[in-house]
Amino acid sequence: MEKVCILGLGYIGLPTASLLAAKGFSVHGVDKNPKVVDAVNKSYPHIHEPGLSNLLESAVHSGNLMASLEPVHADIFIITVPSLITDEHLPDIAHIKEAIHAIAPYLTPGCLIIIETTVPVGTTEKIAGWLSQLRNDLIIPSMTSTVPKAGKEKQVFLAHCPERVSPGRTLIELVENSRVIGGIDQLSGQKAHMFYKRFVCGELFITNARTAELTKLAENSFRDVNIAFANELSLICANLGINVWELVKLANSHPRVSILDPGPGVGGHCLPKDSWFIKHAAPELSKIIHTARKINDCIPNEIIVQIKCKAACFQEPVIACLGLTYKSNTDDLRESPAIKIVKQLLDEKVGKILIIEPHINALPKTLAKHDRIKLVDLQEGLTQANLVVLLVAHDTFKNIGKNILKEKVVVDTRGMWL
Ligand SMILES: NC(=O)c1ccc[n+]([C@@H]2O[C@H](COP(=O)([O-])OP(=O)(O)OC[C@H]3O[C@@H](n4cnc5c(N)ncnc54)[C@H](O)[C@@H]3O)[C@@H](O)[C@H]2O)c1
């Protein structure tokens, strides 16, 4: 049984660890958060993901998955810790560096290290450099030189294979998506290919590490740019008195047009960050990517203006905000534009705020400290509010009766009820 050690048991690492355990690998999960380690060992999924609960339970009960704070010796190491950007929008790969330092003492000749985290271009080569310094008894391949024959038995393998799943469909997409495998050298790419072939039924494309790094960044900024186009159209439409949702529907009836949905901004852990990685790598050349990022960043402010304008109709506005997460049908609040909007409304003391978010049990700390906000259920929120703001298109909001909404002033940022 091959041993896999996965560092970072979050939205990506935990489903991956559970799936690999179910496929017969012996999996050792590592997280630096003791609460996560404890939850995993008790087969409690600390994140919401369809199908994960059952898979995790059988993985732990089979004995194929256990977690701890420290890595162990393994045949394959997978890094799924976060990459971040600083407040100045610069790449921050400190978590990855920490994870590489943690695994270094456990590497043995022939083992394979896979970086699944989205990273700035050049990171895999940087990792090879760190490993060469940490373990000068091993041969770490590089992109520019081949490993001499004499060093082959001391060689480890290194590849970047960016994760592409969409939360909410993670367990399906881990198996079905195509994957891009960027080896630091040819042999590393082939080794990683052999590993993914054992559980992925999508196509597996081998390339070099730098290309794989930029491929993932390009995928995410492609979406960011296209959402910015839709968001810019929504601003133009508002200015011209045109319904943007009708416009998008009509334009998309053209066989070669596929405009994305406008919304209240772009959130999540990936999209807002990855465009900055490209901008940082090629500041003078990434003009569209940078402009799109700035447009998406300013959209929450535009929505706040709309809400304040509608709230001004009431002496005592009671605003029901439907949804807080960064996208529909998830519990993930990271970088959510809905949170930015609600926080600004609280800071500016715009009415009383009722939050309806069926995927969370408590408000995030940044909001909970205010006294004019309450987490309520849908019925209470709709009964008490005079202004209803749809921020996230959760399925549960689809069936709100038109007769109920008719009695309210509505701001629908998702076009769900229009
Ligand atoms: N979430 C997504 O939708 C998604 C999709 C595709 C790719 N990715 C990539 O995967 C990366 C991870 O995303 P995520 O959503 O799983 O993050 P996450 O925050 O849900 O989980 C990361 C986990 O890593 C742990 N961690 C941090 N540093 C560590 C260390 N040094 N050693 C051990 N554990 C450590 C954290 O405690 C946390 O539990 C992202 O940065 C992104 O690049 C994410």
Side-chain angles (χ1 to χ4, degrees):
M1 197 191 264
E2 266 186 300
K3 182 105 188 161
V4 178
C5 181
I6 302 192
L7 276 80
L9 298 174
Y11 283 92
I12 299 302
L14 186 57
T16 305
S18 308
L19 178 76
L20 291 176
K23 297 279 178 192
F25 290 91
S26 166
V27 182
H28 183 90
V30 179
D31 203 287
K32 67 178 191 179
N33 182 345
K35 285 185 188 156
V36 169
V37 169
D38 195 41
V40 173
N41 286 329
K42 288 179 177 147
S43 0
Y44 173 75
H46 66 101
I47 51 159
H48 170 76
E49 184 61 43
L52 181 61
S53 190
N54 287 344
L55 193 68
L56 176 62
E57 193 172 355
S58 59
V60 173
H61 284 178
S62 68
N64 280 2
L65 172 62
M66 67 151 300
S68 82
L69 293 165
E70 293 297 328
V72 292
H73 289 286
D75 306 297
I76 299 153
F77 293 85
I78 304 179
I79 307 297
T80 55
V81 302
S83 55
L84 305 169
I85 46 165
T86 64
D87 290 344
E88 295 76 36
H89 301 129
L90 301 173
D92 173 359
I93 55 169
H95 287 296
I96 296 171
K97 192 169 186 180
E98 201 183 341
I100 294 299
H101 275 74
I103 61 168
Y106 299 93
L107 302 178
T108 47
C111 74
L112 166 67
I113 305 154
I114 299 173
I115 314 299
E116 288 202 352
T117 304
T118 311
V119 290
V121 176
T123 302
T124 313
E125 288 150 285
K126 242 184 215 168
I127 290 170
W130 296 335
L131 286 172
S132 303
Q133 287 189 349
L134 291 164
R135 289 295 303 270
N136 58 15
D137 56 319
L138 296 171
I139 301 281
I140 318 292
S142 81
M143 277 183 75
T144 45
S145 59
T146 46
V147 176
K149 240 189 184 159
K152 292 249 189 253
E153 70 277 10
K154 289 193 204 158
Q155 184 182 349
V156 301
F157 303 94
L158 173 64
H160 174 53
C161 181
E163 187 48 75
R164 303 165 123 178
V165 296
S166 173
R169 287 180 43 82
T170 300
L171 291 175
I172 300 165
E173 295 196 2
L174 275 176
V175 176
E176 291 185 359
N177 281 359
S178 302
R179 302 203 62 143
V180 175
I181 298 167
I184 189 87
D185 66 345
Q186 226 178 4
L187 213 47
S188 293
Q190 284 162 7
K191 286 265 178 193
H193 182 273
M194 276 159 64
F195 168 64
Y196 284 105
K197 218 172 141 189
R198 290 171 61 183
F199 65 97
V200 172
C201 60
E203 265 190 273
L204 299 173
F205 301 98
I206 302 185
T207 178
N208 61 55
R210 284 175 85 80
T211 306
E213 289 164 345
L214 189 58
T215 303
K216 170 68 191 185
L217 299 179
E219 289 162 12
N220 277 358
S221 36
F222 173 84
R223 285 193 64 75
D224 206 30
V225 167
N226 281 280
I227 297 169
F229 178 78
N231 282 338
E232 187 167 89
L233 273 181
S234 80
L235 300 181
I236 294 168
C237 283
N239 191 260
L240 299 178
I242 292 167
N243 179 329
V244 69
W245 304 100
E246 187 190 359
L247 175 106
V248 168
K249 194 172 155 197
L250 293 173
N252 283 350
S253 68
H254 183 289
R256 283 170 296 283
V257 173
S258 181
I259 301 171
L260 298 182
D261 290 333
V266 174
H269 175 55
C270 297
L271 256 57
K273 167 189 69 166
D274 296 349
S275 293
W276 288 114
F277 283 1
I278 299 186
K279 165 82 168 66
H280 180 251
E284 301 303 325
L285 300 173
S286 39
K287 292 190 180 72
I288 293 177
I289 291 168
H290 187 209
T291 305
R293 192 78 293 279
K294 285 197 293 189
I295 290 170
N296 285 333
D297 262 353
C298 81
I299 293 295
N301 291 334
E302 300 293 335
I303 303 291
I304 290 162
V305 172
Q306 281 180 35
I307 297 170
K308 279 165 62 181
C309 178
K310 302 268 181 175
C313 309
F314 302 103
Q315 220 167 17
E316 287 179 20
V318 180
I319 309 171
C321 293
L322 275 60
L324 260 198
T325 55
Y326 87 87
K327 68 170 199 169
S328 58
N329 306 320
T330 173
D331 65 343
D332 195 341
L333 298 168
R334 289 177 293 178
E335 309 300 322
S336 169
I339 293 185
K340 277 184 210 148
I341 291 166
V342 170
K343 188 169 175 312
Q344 190 65 26
L345 294 175
L346 289 166
D347 287 347
E348 293 191 33
K349 300 191 179 1
V350 185
K352 183 179 164 193
I353 310 284
L354 303 174
I355 300 292
I356 298 145
E357 178 44 82
H359 299 277
I360 60 171
N361 301 318
L363 288 171
K365 278 188 198 137
T366 46
L367 303 181
K369 64 182 181 197
H370 291 266
D371 54 2
R372 284 174 308 101
I373 186 168
K374 201 174 158 199
L375 183 65
V376 298
D377 65 26
L378 184 58
Q379 199 184 354
E380 184 181 345
L382 290 178
T383 310
Q384 290 189 18
N386 40 33
L387 173 54
V388 175
V389 180
L390 180 77
L391 292 171
V392 185
H394 290 316
D395 287 347
T396 36
F397 301 150
K398 266 186 198 149
N399 301 325
I400 297 174
K402 285 231 155 63
N403 49 338
I404 298 175
L405 294 174
K406 242 189 336 200
E407 293 164 12
K408 313 283 176 187
V409 173
V410 172
V411 176
D412 179 356
T413 70
R414 299 285 181 177
M416 194 182 222
W417 302 322
L418 298 171

